[in-house]
Amino acid sequence: MIRLIQQSNKLWHEHTPYYEDALQQTWLFFCQNVCEACTGKQFDSSRSSMITWLNQYLKWRLQDFRIKTHQHRARIYSPSPLGIIDNTNDVLTNLAAPPDIPPLWNMTLHWIETDPAGILGKCHILNRPDVTCQVLLLRRIFSHRQWDEISLEFDLPVSTLSSFYQRKCLPAVRSFAELQGFL
């Protein structure tokens, strides 16, 4: 669903320094609430489209960042009684810069390609040792191939591939992400 939404080019976009952060929060919200959205608890399809719903949430997050940025600037640039700006109480100013954050995408790709524990290569569809978690993850996530293409390649129904992917592959990636501290 995320890929389809991204490919539609209908998701709100603006050129602000915090857009990517707001977008990440939106995707996180979407992933955490997609089930409730589909059942109508969070999202009413008679009132708007899924993209409209996500765009509204994204705009709210952007507004949160605007407010936070404005408050931060006001705190830093507000004149002190003596006309001196004192940043010693500003926690953000006094924090040491974090070490370079490793690129999550590259680390995940490397983990899938190398499969150091052999988990992804051993986990496969019943009676199909050629269709492993490793193979599906590489084709689906990193090659951006659609399910129908993968289905034709392996001569398996999309439902079988998708079900295996949801039940086995994604939990393995989630475990890796948790062990790495990504989640």
Side-chain angles (χ1 to χ4, degrees):
M1 283 180 82
I2 291 172
R3 188 172 296 117
L4 290 173
I5 292 168
Q6 288 174 327
Q7 289 173 347
S8 74
N9 290 325
K10 292 182 180 178
L11 204 57
W12 179 261
H13 186 78
E14 61 183 56
H15 298 286
T16 56
Y18 40 79
Y19 176 79
E20 293 298 326
D21 293 333
L23 183 61
Q24 284 301 100
Q25 287 181 0
T26 302
W27 287 129
L28 181 62
F29 170 79
F30 176 76
C31 291
Q32 291 173 337
N33 295 285
V34 71
C35 291
E36 284 131 2
C38 293
T39 60
K41 293 179 185 173
Q42 292 261 350
F43 165 72
D44 183 1
S45 62
S46 66
R47 294 182 58 198
S48 67
S49 70
M50 180 71 71
I51 291 180
T52 303
W53 181 64
L54 283 173
N55 278 337
Q56 185 58 51
Y57 187 87
L58 176 58
K59 289 176 185 178
W60 287 333
R61 297 300 67 82
L62 288 165
Q63 183 64 27
D64 292 346
F65 277 102
R66 280 187 202 95
I67 291 168
K68 206 180 288 185
T69 301
H70 178 71
Q71 289 172 344
H72 181 71
R73 284 184 185 153
R75 190 174 57 239
I76 289 176
Y77 297 113
S78 63
S80 68
L82 301 175
I84 302 168
I85 297 172
D86 180 15
N87 286 336
T88 56
N89 292 330
D90 184 6
V91 176
L92 295 176
T93 303
N94 294 322
L95 284 178
D100 286 340
I101 298 170
L104 307 180
W105 188 261
N106 292 339
M107 287 180 67
T108 306
L109 174 60
H110 178 73
W111 173 73
I112 292 170
E113 287 177 335
T114 60
D115 190 18
I119 297 168
L120 301 174
K122 290 178 186 171
C123 185
H124 61 82
I125 293 177
L126 185 65
N127 299 323
R128 290 298 302 267
D130 58 322
V131 186
T132 65
C133 282
Q134 184 179 34
V135 167
L136 283 180
L137 287 167
L138 288 172
R139 282 180 176 66
R140 185 72 178 137
I141 296 176
F142 295 99
S143 297
H144 305 291
R145 300 204 26 218
Q146 299 298 318
W147 282 122
D148 55 348
E149 295 175 68
I150 300 169
S151 172
L152 287 172
E153 178 183 352
F154 293 110
D155 194 29
L156 286 169
V158 169
S159 59
T160 300
L161 293 167
S162 177
S163 174
F164 177 76
Y165 184 81
Q166 295 292 325
R167 288 181 301 105
K168 299 293 184 176
C169 304
L170 290 183
V173 173
R174 182 170 185 79
S175 293
F176 168 75
E178 286 172 351
L179 286 172
Q180 297 301 310
F182 300 159
L183 299 177

